[in-house]
Amino acid sequence: MTTSSEPAASHAGWHFDNSYARLPEVFCTRVNPTPVAKPRLVLFNRPLAQSLGLDPATFADPDAAVIFTGNQIPPGAEPIAQAYAGHQYGNLTRLGDGRAILLGEQLTPAGERFDIQLKGSGPTPYSRSGDGRAALGPMLREYLISEAMHALGIPTTRSLAVASTGEPVFRGEPLPGAVLTRIAASHIRVGTFEFFAAIGDTDSLRVLANHTILRHFPDRVNSEHPALGLLEEITERQASLIAHWMRVGFVHGVMNTDNMALSGETIDYGPCAFVDAYDPAAVFSSIDRHGRYAFGQQPHIAAWNLARLAEALLPVLHPEPETALARANELLESFEGRFRRHWLAAMRGKLGLFSEEADDASLVEELLRWMQRARADYTHTFRNLRRNTFAKPAPPTDDAFSAWHRRWTERLARQPQSPTEVARRMDAHNPAVIPRNHVVEAALAAAAGNNLAPMERMLTALAAPYDEAGQPAELLNPPPPGTPACRTFCGT
Ligand code: AMP
Ligand code: MG
């Protein structure tokens, strides 16, 4: 499917160059979004539009919603659905974009390249039995959480717009339909490689590896064995990403290999949530009955997913199969060390530690064990540590906590930084506000009744998550006692 596309800038600022659509035919299928009855813009991300080189004024017009439901294709776009596979809860399945369509790759004024994808834009050849659609609630949820993650400084896909369709989707009951415009460094997943490995198409594997290296790791292009470099870069980025998740208490919820992006961005916000009380076993997805994707499991699952990637890449890693296997194993074994390094650096930041001591990991782990026993709120505990106090309604301190606190204070005294410097470091690593589940659910319920004010308020608060001043109390504080545990559903 080669149509060479000369990037052409439009008055709205569209400037597409669609490298993925130029890859061989097996990579994707050309398909247009299915127009919807009544496009209406619900949320629009002006700063993001600007950074993409789009003119926000053009989209202020209510008619502009037609772009964000796929009723109108922007100039230069070449809509495609991408082919991929994925291990879902451990089982390999052929998937592909069943309800998403890639419009193309926008070149930004800063010289970057971003996928512009519509999610919920109608059926594709990969839809299987699905309707290709999405409900408004989950799309608003993805917008909110992905933008919160971005403001937290965590690599993530982003959200440019949510537009409602004026059509119902049926998820056991009729729900309002919507389309999310998702922005990503790319949508290449572990599952994209698995797709070609599963059909034994080594040529395409090589093409995909080259494409991915060019796109995300251009420094590795001229190395002797670029695919090994690719695997190493991805291993490193995933180690760093998961350490970020653990730092802020984020539970992805469905870390299937099709939901792991090679760019190192968090992708596919389905049944995700942030932990309130610290609990490594925390699970929010209603279908994750065995806790495969529990909070504390995430580093292990990332390593498992990387092993699936390495297996898929084996034929192109190195001309000598034995060397390929040996190098792949070395890289996979390096994941734990890489993760521990990123994690410890993040946790040192959370505790205001500048120097490194051998006992730091045990200091962190002692606090975490106490938090788990006391069912202490993860975000609130860290945020309050520097005040040497626990504001209500956090659990009361006890002897174990006091002992830990003494240990920590002595540790702080062994580094030269002033209390102000320590506090500043802690504040930079410990968010004051996170998208607390009960507040997210309330905002979504209000949005379903056409009241977007709570959603807008949350978006504003979460745009500056490390600032405490002026933030709404319901986001600063743990959920009130008796708040029901959050359950999120995969049928999004
Ligand atoms: P997800 O659980 O969102 O990662 O999706 C897993 C797979 O199911 C992907 O191939 C999706 O494209 C597909 N899928 C999810 N929802 C739908 C839907 N409503 N219609 C068609 N395909 C879907
Ligand atoms: Mg997915």
Side-chain angles (χ1 to χ4, degrees):
M1 54 167 72
T2 27
T3 52
S4 99
S5 64
E6 264 302 297
S10 75
H11 73 285
W14 295 111
H15 192 194
F16 282 106
D17 173 50
N18 307 320
S19 65
Y20 209 90
R22 293 196 294 270
L23 292 175
E25 214 161 325
V26 280
F27 280 73
C28 54
T29 305
R30 289 180 188 277
V31 54
N32 280 330
T34 307
V36 306
K38 206 163 162 260
R40 195 176 63 83
L41 206 49
V42 181
L43 290 176
F44 180 66
N45 193 332
R46 291 179 69 96
L48 178 58
Q50 229 140 12
S51 73
L52 289 168
L54 300 174
D55 173 16
T58 327
F59 301 105
D61 191 330
D63 290 346
V66 292
I67 295 276
F68 300 111
T69 54
N71 283 43
Q72 198 183 93
I73 309 297
E78 296 173 77
I80 55 170
Q82 292 175 309
Y84 55 88
H87 274 88
Q88 301 187 303
Y89 292 89
N91 305 305
L92 186 65
T93 313
R94 245 191 208 227
L95 300 164
D97 287 330
R99 59 158 167 179
I101 288 176
L102 179 64
L103 289 180
E105 300 151 30
Q106 168 81 355
L107 301 181
T108 73
E112 291 176 304
R113 176 186 295 265
F114 285 103
D115 276 8
I116 312 276
Q117 192 203 59
L118 301 180
K119 183 170 174 180
S121 50
T124 76
Y126 309 106
S127 293
R128 296 173 291 167
S129 55
D131 59 4
R133 292 297 185 191
L136 177 63
M139 295 305 101
L140 291 175
R141 200 162 191 285
E142 172 154 349
Y143 186 111
L144 182 76
I145 311 257
S146 64
E147 287 305 300
M149 291 288 272
H150 172 73
L152 284 163
I154 302 178
T156 177
T157 63
R158 298 196 58 192
S159 299
L160 180 63
V162 173
S164 57
T165 61
E167 294 174 4
V169 295
F170 296 92
R171 300 287 182 266
E173 54 180 328
L175 297 170
V179 177
L180 172 80
T181 304
R182 178 157 77 178
I183 310 301
S186 84
H187 284 84
I188 303 166
R189 311 142 190 268
V190 169
T192 319
F193 285 88
E194 290 181 293
F195 174 80
F196 295 111
I199 58 175
D201 184 350
T202 306
D203 289 342
S204 294
L205 267 179
R206 199 166 280 118
V207 170
L208 179 61
N210 288 338
H211 176 88
T212 310
I213 294 163
L214 258 178
R215 188 150 177 189
H216 294 300
F217 313 101
D219 294 349
R220 297 279 189 164
V221 170
N222 294 318
S223 57
E224 200 183 350
H225 301 296
L228 274 174
L230 175 67
L231 186 58
E232 179 171 4
E233 294 277 6
I234 292 162
T235 304
E236 176 62 18
R237 285 199 191 187
Q238 286 300 326
S240 161
L241 180 66
I242 308 299
H244 268 299
W245 291 1
M246 304 311 284
R247 172 175 68 84
V248 299
F250 175 75
V251 187
H252 181 284
V254 57
M255 287 177 72
N256 293 332
T257 55
D258 54 303
N259 293 337
M260 186 189 262
L262 298 211
S263 63
E265 291 179 337
T266 312
I267 191 170
D268 242 345
Y269 292 85
C272 62
F274 285 70
V275 294
D276 290 305
Y278 175 75
D279 179 10
V283 170
F284 300 96
S285 167
S286 57
I287 64 168
D288 190 3
R289 284 188 205 92
H290 304 291
R292 180 180 170 90
Y293 299 135
F295 180 48
Q297 284 301 312
Q298 297 185 123
H300 308 293
I301 287 294
W304 192 90
N305 288 350
L306 287 169
R308 304 290 80 74
L309 175 66
E311 279 167 9
L313 274 171
L314 267 183
V316 301
L317 277 182
H318 195 280
E320 289 290 330
E322 277 176 23
T323 312
L325 191 59
R327 293 291 289 121
N329 274 324
E330 266 169 49
L331 283 172
L332 291 173
E333 280 162 20
S334 76
F335 178 81
E336 196 183 333
R338 290 170 194 263
F339 168 74
R340 281 292 285 188
R341 197 162 35 73
H342 286 291
W343 177 82
L344 192 52
M347 299 312 277
R348 281 195 175 107
K350 286 174 84 70
L351 290 178
L353 306 183
F354 288 82
S355 55
E356 296 182 8
E357 286 189 8
D359 272 355
D360 288 346
S362 116
L363 179 72
V364 172
E365 278 151 5
E366 186 182 329
L367 174 63
L368 293 178
R369 273 195 304 274
W370 175 82
M371 286 174 61
Q372 189 177 355
R373 272 199 316 274
R375 299 208 46 80
D377 186 89
Y378 188 60
T379 305
H380 205 237
T381 301
F382 277 105
R383 197 69 194 185
N384 278 332
L385 266 185
R386 72 176 172 86
R387 293 192 200 102
N388 283 359
T389 174
F390 280 90
K392 284 179 183 170
T397 59
D398 54 19
D399 288 350
F401 180 81
S402 306
W404 177 84
H405 197 271
R406 251 191 323 277
R407 187 180 168 191
W408 176 54
T409 319
E410 286 163 12
R411 171 69 182 80
L412 288 178
R414 289 196 296 275
Q415 58 180 19
Q417 282 76 14
S418 70
T420 314
E421 287 171 292
V422 168
R424 201 173 299 136
R425 183 161 169 78
M426 292 178 73
D427 285 353
H429 285 80
N430 296 310
V433 290
I434 52 163
R436 293 210 175 256
N437 307 318
H438 65 293
V439 190
V440 174
E441 294 315 308
L444 291 177
N450 273 327
N451 173 13
L452 276 174
M455 181 67 66
E456 306 271 9
R457 203 160 47 239
M458 250 189 130
L459 282 166
T460 305
L462 293 167
Y466 298 98
D467 293 351
E468 209 167 310
Q471 296 283 24
E474 77 265 26
L475 286 180
L476 283 168
N477 292 323
T483 306
C486 164
R487 271 271 171 276
T488 54
F489 296 90
C490 238
T492 52

